[in-house]
């Protein structure tokens, strides 16, 4: 199972007075630790400075890059200039900046956005709810794969948690039968990781804030090793 780390939390550490850490240095450390790829949350129009920094990182560190972005043509086009290996389309809300997207939502021209990403040679992933109808829509518009969320599992208990875990496993199997790869946006929770470990169709995990919180205490390499041992 692959491990992809969101590096956007690192950007939140930086200020005008303290512009470190440098993304290239962060990417180099993650690459040395054995991470499979990096993810950048790009839910707003990117600054030229950010694009230049990401380009330098791409030229220096040989590590696949994923971009998590709203399906807005102009924003997607700008990030496609970086030639990312993977583009994940998601939505936003007031409570959570990264939300599953509804594939029948007419405010986004999803078929055209997916086509544009494919034509640029990037894998197009859509972040959706573990729902069969959404999986079928993802396959119909020729997405490469889907990303589904487990970050709320640890707030559930007893039968509620078991029910949602069961539906997630069923959705992963259905996605695999439709020819979709499956990524999971997850938190570092022991029970969650043990459930995910038992899902053979799962391509990989995407981890963000939890990873960096643990890495600040134990170091990047130790954190990566601990996750690999858990999965």
């Amino acid at each position: 199972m692959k491990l992809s780390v969101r590096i956007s939390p690192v950007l939140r550490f930086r200020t005008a007075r303290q512009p470190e850490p440098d993304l290239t240095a962060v990417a180099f450390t993650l690459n040395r630790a054995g991470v499979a790829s990096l993810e950048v949350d790009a839910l707003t129009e990117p600054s030229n400075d950010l694009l230049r920094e990401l380009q330098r990182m791409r030229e220096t560190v040989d590590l696949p890059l994923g971009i998590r972005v709203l399906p807005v043509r102009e924003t997607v086009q700008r990030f496609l200039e970086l030639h990312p290996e993977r583009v994940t389309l998601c939505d936003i809300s007031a409570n959570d900046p990264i939300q599953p997207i509804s594939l029948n939502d007419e405010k986004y021209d999803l078929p055209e956005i997916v086509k544009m990403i494919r034509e640029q040679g990037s894998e197009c992933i859509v972040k959706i709810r573990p729902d069969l109808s959404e999986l079928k829509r993802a396959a119909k518009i020729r997405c490469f794969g889907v990303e589904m969320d487990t970050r709320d599992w640890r707030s559930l208990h007893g039968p509620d948690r078991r029910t949602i875990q069961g539906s997630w496993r069923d959705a992963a199997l259905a996605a695999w039968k439709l020819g979709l790869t499956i990524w999971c946006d997850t938190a570092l929770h022991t029970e969650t990781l043990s459930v995910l470990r038992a899902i053979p169709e799962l391509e990989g995990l995407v981890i963000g804030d939890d990873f960096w919180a643990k890495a600040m205490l134990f170091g990047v390499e130790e954190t990566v090793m601990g996750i690999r041992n858990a999965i």
Side-chain angles (χ1 to χ4, degrees):
M1 191 184 300
K2 298 176 182 177
L3 174 61
S4 187
V5 174
R6 290 164 54 194
I7 58 174
S8 297
V10 174
L11 299 175
R12 298 201 296 268
F13 299 156
R14 306 195 309 192
T15 66
R17 292 184 179 182
Q18 182 62 42
E20 300 292 333
D22 175 71
L23 288 186
T24 298
V26 171
F28 179 80
T29 301
L30 290 168
N31 191 29
R32 186 178 59 193
V35 166
S37 61
L38 307 177
E39 298 271 340
V40 176
D41 300 338
L43 303 178
T44 58
E45 185 69 17
S47 67
N48 290 330
D49 287 344
L50 175 60
L51 289 173
R52 281 193 292 267
E53 186 174 9
L54 289 171
Q55 186 60 49
R56 284 197 304 272
M57 183 188 77
R58 294 280 281 162
E59 293 169 353
T60 306
V61 182
D62 185 18
L63 198 59
L65 175 65
I67 302 291
R68 299 153 72 80
V69 64
L70 285 173
V72 176
R73 176 177 292 274
E74 295 74 15
T75 305
V76 172
Q77 282 178 327
R78 293 201 69 190
F79 278 105
L80 285 175
E81 295 172 7
L82 297 170
H83 304 289
E85 282 73 17
R86 187 167 64 251
V87 176
T88 301
L89 302 177
C90 56
D91 213 339
I92 58 175
S93 73
N95 297 324
D96 189 343
I98 301 175
Q99 283 285 311
I101 193 167
S102 174
L103 297 186
N104 62 356
D105 192 334
E106 295 182 357
K107 69 179 177 180
Y108 299 123
D109 189 3
L110 285 167
E112 284 303 311
I113 297 294
V114 172
K115 180 181 177 182
M116 179 175 68
I117 294 169
R118 283 202 326 267
E119 289 176 347
Q120 290 293 320
S122 299
E123 298 175 359
C124 182
I125 309 294
V126 286
K127 184 178 181 68
I128 60 172
R129 294 175 289 102
D131 179 88
L132 182 58
S133 61
E134 290 285 81
L135 292 169
K136 289 180 176 178
R137 291 188 188 102
K140 184 176 181 179
I141 62 176
R142 299 182 62 195
C143 294
F144 187 83
V146 296
E147 177 184 293
M148 298 186 291
D149 213 320
T150 65
R151 289 176 297 166
D152 60 350
W153 282 12
R154 59 183 169 186
S155 65
L156 302 173
H157 302 281
D160 289 340
R161 179 181 289 179
R162 289 191 292 274
T163 297
I164 196 170
Q165 289 173 347
S167 65
W168 209 102
R169 284 191 293 264
D170 292 343
L173 178 59
W176 179 75
K177 288 181 177 179
L178 288 166
L180 299 165
T181 60
I182 308 107
W183 286 83
C184 173
D185 187 1
T186 188
L188 291 180
H189 182 255
T190 302
E191 182 183 337
T192 297
L193 294 179
S194 67
V195 171
L196 296 176
R197 182 175 57 200
I199 301 177
E201 299 83 12
L202 191 56
E203 179 80 5
L205 307 181
V206 181
I207 304 178
D209 290 351
D210 276 21
F211 177 90
W212 293 108
K214 197 164 186 176
M216 289 176 69
L217 294 174
F218 302 106
V220 169
E221 294 190 15
E222 186 72 21
T223 300
V224 171
M225 186 182 301
I227 296 171
R228 291 208 172 281
N229 290 338
I231 60 176

